[in-house]
Amino acid sequence: MNAPSPLLSRERPEAARAWLMRLGETAVSAVHPDTLLPDRLPDPPAGRTLVVGAGKAAAAMAAALERAWQARHPEAPLSGLVVTRYGHGAECRHIEVLEASHPMPDDLSEQAARRMLEAVADLGEDDLVIALISGGGSALMTLPAPGIRLAEKQAINKALLRSGAPIREINTVRRHLSAIKGGRLAAAAHPARVLTWLISDVPGDEASLIASGPTLPDASTPAEALAILERHGIEISAAVRRQLQANSEAPHPEDPAFARDQSEILARARDALAAARAAAEDDGVEVRLLGDDLEGEARELGRAQGRMALAAQDGLTRPLVILSGGETSVTVKGDGRGGRNVEYLLGLFDTLEGAEGIHALAIDTDGIDGSEDNAGAVFGPACWARMRSLGLDPDAYLSRNDAYTFFEALDDLIMTGPTRTNVNDFRAILVLPRSS
C-alpha cells in the first residue's frame, strides 16, 4: 500500500470531501455500459438480430452495443427497441429508445411492454434476441396480467415501496402480476435464441430478480407473492387475488423455451466497490469492505455504520475508508422528501454528532436517489456546527422522512444527473486518525 496522501488530514476537510467525490465517480465509471459491451459481441445469426431491453441503463447499453456491432459486423442488420427512465436516453441510430416513468409505471411503461411482445412474436429459430436488462426495468416495462388494470399495479407498487419491503419481495409480486416479466418475454420470443445481458442492481445478484426477469425463468410461485402482500398489509382487489390464487405460474427453468438461451451479468455492485477499493489503496488509504449486498432499514444501517466508524477511529494510524453497497429500504411514515441514501446518511450524521475526522458519502449509482433529483449527499465534521447555526434538528427530519430537505439546507446534496448505469447504492465513510 502506498503512503497516504498528505491531503487526507483533519487540517484539509475540503480535500477529504473532494476525495470521496472522486471515489464515487471511480465506482460509477467502472460499471458504465461503455466499458462492458465491446468485447462480448456474438456472431450474427442466420436470421434477424433484434434488441429489446428495459432499465435505467438500457439506452446506454443499446448505444454501446450498436457502436460495437457496427464496427464488428457492418453488414449485419440490427434493430429493436428499449425503454429507459425519462431523461436517461442515449443516441441510437437503429435501436429505438423509449422513455417511461420510474419508480411508478405509467401508460408509456405499458405501451413499451406491449410493443416488445409484438416485436418478438414473429421470430424464428434462426433469429437472435439480445435483451439488455438493468435495474428499474420492472417499472419501465409494465404489462398487467389479464384481468388486472394498470392502476391496480401502480397502487400495489406504491404501497410496497412505502412499506419497506426488500426488493426481492417487491419483484416477486411484480413477476406474478405481469404478462411480460418472469421469463414471459423470452417465452414469447421462442423459438428464437435469447441472449440476455444484465447490469445487476439487486443484492445477491440473482439474475431472475433484475428488472423482475423478463427473459429469465422464475422459480417462485404466485402463493409466495400473495403471502408477501398479506405480510405487509397491502390491500388488493378481487382480480389480483384471483390471479395469485389461480396458480398461473411463470415459465419454469426446465421449460424447453429456454433451452438455447444464455445470460450474463456484465456489472454488479462488487465491481464498483472493487474499483473504489483499488483507487483508495493506491492513495494509501486502508479499506474495510462490508459487502455489496447490505439491506435493511436505511437509517438504522447508517446508525450502525456510524458506531462502527467511531470505534474504528480508536488507535487508527492511517486513513481508513469503510465501503459498502446494496439496497436498503425506507419505511415511509412522513410526508418529506428523501431517498434511501440521504436517509442512511442522516442516520449516520445523527450518530456521529460532528465527530472530528469522519466524512461520508452515499449515492445511488444511477444518479437518482429514490424519486428525487439528487444522487445522494456528502458531509464532513463541519456540517454539525452548520446544522446548529441553521437551527436544524436531524431527528425531526428523520421522523418525517425529509432527509433531502435537511441536506439541501446544508448544501450537501450531490447532483450528477442520470449516469445511465445502475448497480444500486455506493457508500463510503472516510475515517481519519485522531492525530494526523
Side-chain angles (χ1 to χ4, degrees):
M1 182 183 292
N2 298 330
S5 168
L7 295 177
L8 292 180
S9 69
R10 290 190 177 191
E11 291 71 33
R12 299 290 303 275
E14 74 286 352
R17 182 188 185 101
W19 185 86
L20 281 174
M21 294 288 287
R22 287 195 302 273
L23 200 67
E25 292 167 2
T26 296
V28 172
S29 296
V31 292
H32 194 276
D34 287 349
T35 69
L36 305 174
L37 289 171
D39 297 330
R40 289 179 162 87
L41 295 189
D43 292 329
R48 298 169 55 195
T49 301
L50 181 75
V51 178
V52 296
K56 298 173 188 175
M61 294 173 79
L65 169 60
E66 190 176 271
R67 288 192 299 269
W69 188 272
Q70 289 174 339
R72 183 170 168 181
H73 307 306
E75 304 304 319
L78 185 76
S79 63
L81 70 159
V82 300
V83 59
T84 192
R85 182 176 180 163
Y86 293 123
H88 290 240
E91 189 69 30
C92 291
R93 293 181 57 194
H94 304 289
I95 302 170
E96 185 180 359
V97 176
L98 309 173
E99 295 187 359
S101 176
H102 183 279
M104 293 300 298
D106 60 7
D107 290 342
L108 293 179
S109 308
E110 186 171 8
Q111 292 176 31
R114 290 189 187 280
R115 287 191 58 190
M116 281 185 214
L117 282 176
E118 292 167 359
V120 304
D122 61 348
L123 298 179
E125 62 181 11
D126 291 333
D127 298 324
L128 171 67
V129 175
I130 301 179
L132 307 175
I133 305 299
S134 60
S138 290
L140 295 165
M141 185 173 58
T142 295
L143 185 60
I148 299 175
R149 295 177 293 110
L150 178 60
E152 291 177 296
K153 286 204 70 174
Q154 290 170 324
I156 290 171
N157 189 57
K158 182 177 182 179
L160 283 168
L161 290 171
R162 292 176 65 88
S163 73
I167 191 62
R168 173 182 294 272
E169 293 186 352
I170 294 173
N171 282 358
T172 297
V173 173
R174 285 166 164 169
R175 288 197 301 275
H176 290 288
L177 297 179
S178 175
I180 194 169
K181 299 180 176 75
R184 293 176 176 90
L185 179 59
H190 186 72
R193 183 167 73 93
V194 178
L195 170 61
T196 302
W197 282 329
L198 307 108
I199 294 179
S200 173
D201 71 327
V202 298
D205 301 316
E206 186 177 329
S208 65
L209 292 179
I210 302 167
S212 301
T215 58
L216 298 169
D218 180 20
S220 69
T221 66
E224 291 176 54
L226 182 58
I228 290 166
L229 291 168
E230 291 175 343
R231 183 161 60 251
H232 291 284
I234 309 296
E235 294 185 7
I236 57 175
S237 69
V240 169
R241 187 171 296 277
R242 282 195 300 272
Q243 169 69 16
L244 297 179
Q245 291 176 336
N247 202 32
S248 54
E249 296 183 353
H252 279 260
E254 62 273 15
D255 192 309
F258 299 105
R260 297 196 301 147
D261 294 355
Q262 295 174 291
S263 65
E264 180 183 3
I265 296 178
L266 305 184
R268 61 203 89 200
R270 71 166 174 254
D271 300 317
L273 290 167
R277 178 174 194 157
E281 290 177 343
D282 282 347
D283 286 340
V285 177
E286 182 183 345
V287 177
R288 183 180 299 179
L289 182 58
L290 302 182
D292 61 2
D293 58 354
L294 274 60
E295 298 181 273
E297 195 70 28
R299 68 179 68 185
E300 296 308 322
L301 183 66
R303 294 188 190 283
Q305 292 192 358
R307 293 189 292 270
M308 181 185 300
L310 290 169
Q313 202 171 36
D314 292 333
L316 199 65
T317 59
R318 64 188 303 124
L320 164 73
V321 66
I322 301 171
L323 300 177
S324 65
E327 181 172 2
T328 59
S329 302
V330 174
T331 303
V332 179
K333 297 180 179 178
D335 58 358
R337 300 179 67 188
R340 59 181 181 264
N341 285 287
V342 288
E343 180 131 341
Y344 156 86
L345 282 173
L346 190 48
L348 174 63
F349 182 90
D350 194 33
T351 300
L352 293 177
E353 296 184 339
E356 286 297 319
I358 302 181
H359 305 251
L361 170 148
I363 57 172
D364 194 322
T365 54
D366 68 5
I368 305 295
D369 187 22
S371 58
E372 299 296 342
D373 56 0
N374 65 312
V378 60
F379 71 80
C383 297
W384 187 261
R386 193 157 74 247
M387 173 204 73
R388 285 185 163 177
S389 71
L390 294 170
L392 306 179
D393 179 358
D395 287 329
Y397 282 86
L398 277 171
S399 70
R400 58 179 182 265
N401 301 111
D402 203 17
Y404 178 102
T405 305
F406 180 88
F407 286 109
E408 182 182 43
L410 294 179
D411 196 26
D412 284 332
L413 294 175
I414 297 174
M415 302 288 192
T416 65
T419 64
R420 296 171 175 82
T421 191
N422 181 23
V423 295
N424 248 319
D425 302 334
F426 173 80
R427 299 178 287 265
I429 305 172
L430 176 63
V431 186
L432 302 178
R434 294 191 187 280
S435 57
S436 58

